[in-house]
Amino acid sequence: MKRLLVFAGMASALFLFTMPTVAQETPEATVPAEAQPAPLADAISASFIVQDLSPLVGEPVTLILQIETPPDVTLVEWPYIPESWEALSIHDMQPTESEVLVDDRRVQRQRMIVRAWRPGEHVTPNLFFGYRVMGDSTIYRLAVRPFTLNVESILIPGDTTLRDFKPQIGFFYLPLWAFLALGGGMLVFGYAGWQRWQQWQTRRAFVPAGFSPIEIAQQGLTALAAEGHPPSVVFAEVADILRDVLAARFDLTTREWTTPEVINALRTQRVLNEASLNQLAALLDQTDLVKFANLRPQRTAAGRVINAAQQWLESLEPATQQRLSQESAA
């Protein structure tokens, strides 16, 4: 019994001796230490740069992650960027680029292509990067400032009106009536050209082989008078017929020559008398006014120019024969 009382007394004394010690150490062990702020956090900027903040669904957007640090800060951990952010997908992520500014601040960038596959506002996830300060081996971490991409919808809420499909972007489209008008115009011009070619062939079919250039020209003027062309066409045809006669009769390339050049060449060769030269110059001057000066002659003028050309051709052969006879007599 005495031993039991002694043991109880010793236990009570031990409990009373240790109780103040526990009460003093417990607050010191449970109170957490205060978190220290990251140094130079205000001098570091990390954000996204994007030009088009409101793209359409599926439209590619160039996104640039940019981190700018002062000279005494070194980046040791680049943010980890996942391949997809919910409705956003990342494509063509480029390597990191570095640039030193004038004040020795360093800028590091990473370009990527982002596509959003549903409309609405999309916020970038939480991204963190790590850095060290010069003379300190501790790695500090900061968050990248997020940005919001607003993807607009091409649909109008509540609009149920049916509309025709629009042609594809970049697709050259012509309506049916334009094709029909183009085809009709080609047929008209083709038929007019064919008629002109037929008339040209018919006019020369009247001239049998073995005829002289003057006789061929006379036949051409006769056919031209019977075809009923507009006056401007008649004047042009008369000029061509006269120049063809000169080319065949006197070996002159008169189609490319001007009227003064033709008259001077004939005067130098002395193949025609002065009266014939003056008549020819007057005829060619009239046709030049219609061809090059856009003069609009009357229909009666077309008949007169054909008659004048025929009369000049009729006087051409006797004048040439007279010159040849004079040269032979001399």
Side-chain angles (χ1 to χ4, degrees), residues 10-11 18 36 38 77 81 87 95 125 133 137 163 172 182 200 209-210 253 314 324:
M10 292 177 63
T18 57
Q36 298 294 328
E77 294 179 359
I81 302 176
V133 181
S137 60
R163 297 178 176 86
F172 182 72
L182 182 61
W200 182 82
T253 56
E314 291 174 358
L324 295 175

Side-chain angles (χ1 to χ4, degrees), residues 49-242:
I49 300 175
V50 61
Q51 294 180 351
D52 188 2
L53 292 175
S54 301
L56 299 178
V57 175
E59 185 177 6
V61 178
T62 300
L63 190 65
I64 302 175
L65 173 59
Q66 177 174 296
I67 302 177
E68 184 176 344
T69 57
D72 50 353
V73 170
T74 303
L75 283 180
V76 294
E77 294 179 359
W78 189 258
Y80 169 73
I81 302 176
E83 295 183 356
S84 62
W85 305 337
E86 297 181 356
L88 299 179
S89 59
I90 309 299
H91 305 271
D92 192 20
M93 189 177 299
Q94 300 294 323
T96 305
E97 302 174 357
S98 182
E99 179 185 0
V100 179
L101 304 180
V102 178
D103 54 355
D104 292 335
R105 293 179 64 85
R106 182 177 295 274
V107 178
Q108 298 189 48
R109 303 183 183 90
Q110 188 173 27
R111 299 175 183 269
M112 64 199 78
I113 302 297
V114 178
R115 296 178 186 268
W117 299 110
R118 69 168 180 260
E121 294 184 353
H122 305 281
V123 183
T124 57
N126 294 327
L127 301 178
F128 297 90
F129 63 95
Y131 70 94
R132 286 196 184 102
V133 181
M134 185 180 300
D136 188 356
S137 60
T138 305
I139 297 178
Y140 301 95
R141 292 177 177 83
L142 289 178
V144 178
R145 185 184 307 134
F147 87 102
T148 301
L149 189 66
N150 183 23
V151 181
E152 298 181 354
S153 175
I154 61 175
L155 301 178
I156 302 175
D159 186 7
T160 59
T161 303
L162 297 178
R163 297 178 176 86
D164 295 335
F165 287 108
K166 298 176 67 176
Q168 298 181 1
I169 298 176
F171 178 73
F172 182 72
Y173 172 76
L174 281 178
L176 180 60
W177 64 265
F179 281 104
L180 295 177
L182 182 61
M186 294 178 63
L187 288 176
V188 170
F189 281 105
Y191 179 76
W194 179 78
Q195 287 279 15
R196 182 68 182 274
W197 182 81
Q198 286 287 86
Q199 292 172 358
W200 182 82
Q201 291 290 338
T202 302
R203 185 163 63 243
R204 280 151 181 77
F206 287 119
V207 182
F211 277 63
S212 67
I214 295 178
E215 292 171 332
I216 295 175
Q218 289 283 15
Q219 293 287 348
L221 291 173
T222 302
L224 181 63
E227 289 170 0
H229 291 290
S232 58
V233 176
V234 172
F235 273 75
E237 289 289 338
V238 168
D240 292 341
I241 291 173
L242 293 178

